[in-house]
Structures are given as C-alpha cells and as structure tokens.
Amino acid sequence: MWRNISKIMVAGLLFTSLVGCSASNGEKTEGKNASDYPKSNITIVAPSGAGGGWDLTARAVAKTMSDTGLIDKAIQVENKPGGGGAAFMATFATKEANNDYILMVKSPPILINHEKAEGNSKFGYKDTTPLAQLTRDYGAIVVKKDSPFQTLADVLNAMKTSPKDVTLAGGSAPGSMDHLVGIIPAYKAGIDLKTIKYVSYDGGGEAVTALLGGNADVIATDASTIATYVKSGDVRVLAVSSSERLEGELAEVPTFKEAGIDEEFTIWRGIFGPKNMSEDAIAYWSEKLQAMSESKEWQAEVTRNGWQAEYRNAEEFTAYLDSQNKIIIELLTALGMQK
C-alpha cells in the first residue's frame, strides 16, 4: 500500500514539475516572440510631387489607418520628387534599408526605371520588401478642352506628319510609365518613336498644370487622377489603356482598342517596406494592410479616387512583380529601350 502511495506521490510531483516547466517555457517563448513594433510614428513616402497617383495613394492609406483605428501611431506622408521616383528609390534602397518606420508607395516605374537602357535607377523591387498591392488603374491620353485633337487618331496623325509640332508630356522620366503609356499607341501605329518630343514632370499634377498652361499639347497620365479635371471641363480624355470602358467621368471614353490600337496597360499601385525590414514589421504590416483593404473606409477611398481595388498580400505581390517585370522587359525590348 505504502509502495503504491509513494508511486502516486512521485508521479504527481513529476507531473507538477513538467507542467511548471511547460508554463515557464511558454512564458519565455511568448515574451521572446512578443513584438513592440511600432514604437514610434511612421512615414509613407510618395516619391513624386503632390497630386499624382503615388501621393493620393499614400494619403489614402494614412487616412484610412487613422479613421479605422487600425494603427494608433501617427502616419506622416512625405513627398520626395525627383527622377520619376528614382531619386528617393536610391535613398530607400541604401540609407533607409534597415528603417522599419519608413514605407514607400510605388507602381510600374519601380520596374521600368530599373530595366530601361537609359535607366535612372540601379535599384529595383528586389531592393525592397513588397508588402501589398492595393489598387489598379489605367493610363489616359489627355488634351485641353479646346485642343484641335478630337481623337487619338488625330494625335497619331500629327505625330507622324509633323512630330516637332506635338509635345507629349507626363509625370515620369523618359522611358518610364507615363512615357510608355503615351508612346505605346504611336509604336503600334508604326511611328518612329525617336521623333516624338516628350517632356517629363515630377508627378501627374505637374503634367496637368503644363497641359493647362499650354506647355504641352498632349499628356499621358493616370485615368483616376484626371477624372477631376474632366468633371470640371478643363480637359478631354481621348482614350484609356483599359481592356474595357471605365465608369464614372470616363464612361464615354474609348479604350485604346476601340480607338484602333490593339494594346492595354495596367497601372498597379502597391506599398513597399525597406529591403532589410524586420520580420516583426513585415508581420505587422501584412496584418494591418489586409484589414485595411477589407474596411468600408478603404472602399470609400477607392471609390472617391476612381481606382479599382485589387489586393495582393506580400507573397502574391512579389510573385506578381516577378511576372510584371518580364512583361516590362519585353515591352522595353520591343521599343528598343531595354538594357
């Protein structure tokens, strides 16, 4: 009997010891894995001037995170224009490579600027941490309301017969996104691209100002950002690069294909962290951006800005960038502008 009691007591002590060790280990593991990120305020950089797609996206993210209470730290939006986004890209990939508190909004120029022959950036998306794709947009070919160009065909005819008399402008550097949107129709129409006069500005807002001020005859820009100017009657959109007609203010605008150009071009927009972003910060933003994309506040921002929501998480976004980079290389090669 005493022997059985002893066995029970020993077993009980052993069980208690194991439970205690397990609890102790659990507490240590929990403490080790617990993250206190973020400790301070966050900056989202739009590497362009105010008024363009990057700027509007950065501000929409900051506003939604605040309105929903998903993030209790302040988010500051900073504009860092220069080189169609390439200037800040160099800083982001080097000096800010370990800074968990600075993010960047980007779109296809992160691929284009790195892959073109006369590229102004030796850094690409692999020098960042892709966090999420947020939206998609399309390009638009735009003229002033009193422009003699009534159709895309009118612009292309003028570029072919008297190219020196037509100034094309955009909010990105030569060979970058707006430039590609503007010259794709010309390329498909068999026009010598070297004869086209292109002037670049730091952001879509500055390109629109140039158009309205008479410093450009045609601009290529984002369909969403031009809708406000269409509504005010300042400009006319001749064609958009979508596969189907858009909604809202641009509902009556023909697609490239309807205008005789069998091509399309998608402008995705996403948010990136620095190259050496910590695992804690990546996990934090993955959770917050997913939640933001599902919120009614974000949907309202998407609608208000004329965007189309398209969310991809970090893994999906990285794979998408891999595939998009191949397409950009093919396009630049066809244009004779690839490295």
Side-chain angles (χ1 to χ4, degrees):
M1 176 178 175
W2 288 110
R3 183 178 299 174
N4 290 336
I5 291 174
S6 297
K7 288 181 178 179
I8 293 172
M9 290 177 65
V10 170
L13 289 170
L14 180 59
F15 175 78
T16 301
S17 175
L18 289 172
V19 170
C21 288
S22 176
S24 175
N25 289 337
E27 289 172 1
K28 288 180 181 179
T29 302
E30 182 179 348
K32 182 179 179 181
N33 291 338
S35 172
D36 56 0
Y37 177 88
K39 294 180 180 179
S40 59
N41 296 337
I42 295 148
T43 298
I44 301 179
V45 172
S48 64
W54 294 339
D55 177 66
L56 294 175
T57 301
R59 295 183 189 281
V61 170
K63 183 178 185 298
T64 304
M65 288 299 189
S66 175
D67 290 349
T68 56
L70 281 167
I71 295 179
D72 58 9
K73 299 295 183 183
I75 300 178
Q76 177 182 2
V77 174
E78 291 186 2
N79 295 96
K80 300 283 189 180
F88 178 72
M89 182 66 195
T91 300
F92 193 62
T94 55
K95 294 180 180 179
E96 304 292 356
N98 299 302
N99 187 352
D100 282 349
Y101 292 87
I102 189 164
L103 309 181
M104 175 181 67
V105 170
K106 269 284 196 173
S107 55
I110 197 172
L111 310 177
I112 300 167
N113 288 347
H114 182 57
E115 297 294 348
K116 64 183 179 178
E118 297 179 0
N120 52 0
S121 178
K122 66 178 182 179
F123 303 102
Y125 72 101
K126 293 183 179 180
D127 298 296
T128 71
T129 299
L131 294 174
Q133 179 188 338
L134 301 174
T135 63
R136 72 175 185 271
D137 197 356
Y138 299 98
I141 306 298
V142 185
V143 296
K144 285 179 65 175
K145 63 178 180 180
D146 57 354
S147 170
F149 300 131
Q150 297 297 314
T151 65
L152 179 59
D154 290 342
V155 174
L156 296 177
N157 287 335
M159 286 180 169
K160 184 176 293 185
T161 59
S162 54
K164 293 182 180 179
D165 296 331
V166 182
T167 298
L168 170 68
S172 61
S176 289
M177 186 171 65
D178 286 356
H179 190 195
L180 288 183
V181 169
I183 64 176
I184 283 173
Y187 173 73
K188 299 293 286 189
I191 297 172
D192 182 357
L193 301 183
K194 295 179 182 179
T195 65
I196 296 176
K197 183 168 59 175
Y198 176 77
V199 179
S200 62
Y201 293 89
D202 278 324
E206 291 189 19
V208 172
T209 299
L211 179 70
L212 298 180
N215 294 315
D217 301 298
V218 185
I219 65 169
T221 190
D222 305 340
S224 61
T225 58
I226 206 64
T228 299
Y229 299 94
V230 173
K231 187 175 182 178
S232 66
D234 293 318
V235 304
R236 288 184 288 110
V237 179
L238 303 183
V240 290
S241 68
S242 55
S243 57
E244 298 178 352
R245 289 203 177 193
L246 304 178
E247 299 177 351
E249 298 297 331
L250 305 184
E252 301 302 316
V253 177
T255 64
F256 277 6
K257 189 169 185 177
E258 289 176 318
I261 302 298
D262 190 14
E263 191 61 80
E264 60 184 77
F265 190 87
T266 300
I267 302 172
W268 52 263
R269 292 195 188 91
I271 192 160
F272 297 76
K275 183 176 183 178
N276 301 325
M277 193 173 215
S278 69
E279 292 298 324
D280 284 347
I282 294 172
Y284 177 88
W285 282 105
S286 294
E287 176 188 344
K288 298 299 182 181
L289 289 168
Q290 175 81 45
M292 183 197 77
S293 72
E294 297 169 354
S295 70
K296 65 180 187 298
E297 289 85 355
W298 177 251
Q299 296 306 317
E301 285 295 308
V302 168
T303 300
R304 185 173 66 82
N305 284 288
W307 301 327
Q308 296 186 43
E310 186 166 55
Y311 184 82
R312 287 185 171 93
N313 63 28
E315 183 178 356
E316 295 166 339
F317 189 30
T318 301
Y320 179 67
L321 290 169
D322 290 340
S323 65
Q324 286 293 295
N325 202 52
K326 293 176 182 177
I327 293 173
I328 291 297
I329 290 173
E330 291 176 4
L331 180 57
L332 289 173
T333 299
L335 294 171
M337 301 178 73
Q338 202 267 328
K339 283 181 179 178

